[in-house]
């Protein structure tokens, strides 16, 4: 079972930027970012394969960039032009029907 650890969350003003990191204990084919706001369902933000293929949710396309560094088993989410509605706990996920989850990192976008 892969272990995942997120970091990089924090408080940022609207229009600002953050970069989230996800450290995986082993190499995995697919890594994903999800987020969950209070009272809302968890939703997929972006996905990346070990080959670098990416998928983005429509609401972040053009603002967020997902990437990974395979030698270090680390995935990143560069978040630009942040909006208050981006406020959520962001989770790293290893994919598949039994994918692992990290503990989450809080992102708060507020003035």
């Amino acid at each position: 079972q892969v272990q995942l650890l997120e970091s990089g969350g924090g408080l940022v003003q609207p229009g600002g930027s953050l970069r989230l990191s996800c450290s995986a204990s082993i190499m995995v084919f697919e890594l994903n970012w999800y987020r969950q706001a209070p009272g809302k369902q968890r939703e997929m933000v972006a996905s990346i394969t070990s080959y670098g293929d990416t998928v983005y949710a429509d609401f972040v396309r053009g603002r967020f960039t997902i990437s990974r560094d395979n030698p270090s088993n680390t995935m990143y989410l560069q978040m630009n032009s942040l909006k208050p509605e981006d406020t959520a706990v962001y989770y790293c996920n290893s994919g598949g029907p039994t994918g692992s989850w990290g503990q989450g990192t809080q992102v708060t976008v507020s003035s």
Side-chain angles (χ1 to χ4, degrees), residues 2-106:
V2 61
Q3 294 177 303
L4 304 171
L5 180 62
E6 305 95 335
S7 62
L11 175 64
V12 64
Q13 294 184 5
S17 298
L18 285 173
R19 189 175 76 158
L20 307 183
S21 298
C22 169
S23 178
S25 61
I26 60 172
M27 177 66 175
V28 294
F29 172 70
E30 179 182 303
L31 287 169
N32 313 289
W33 286 104
Y34 283 78
R35 71 185 188 186
Q36 187 166 22
K40 305 295 183 181
Q41 292 187 336
R42 187 171 54 194
E43 59 186 357
M44 195 274 288
V45 176
S47 177
I48 189 167
T49 69
S50 62
Y51 303 101
D53 295 323
T54 59
V55 175
Y56 293 95
D58 288 340
F59 54 82
V60 302
R61 186 177 297 276
R63 299 189 297 123
F64 293 6
T65 302
I66 190 171
S67 62
R68 65 189 290 172
D69 179 63
N70 290 334
S72 64
N73 295 328
T74 304
M75 175 178 65
Y76 304 96
L77 185 67
Q78 179 66 47
M79 311 165 68
N80 299 326
S81 301
L82 283 162
K83 305 174 181 179
E85 53 262 43
D86 294 319
T87 296
V89 177
Y90 284 71
Y91 296 93
C92 186
N93 166 259
S94 62
T98 58
S100 296
W101 296 88
Q103 83 290 342
T105 184
Q106 177 71 49

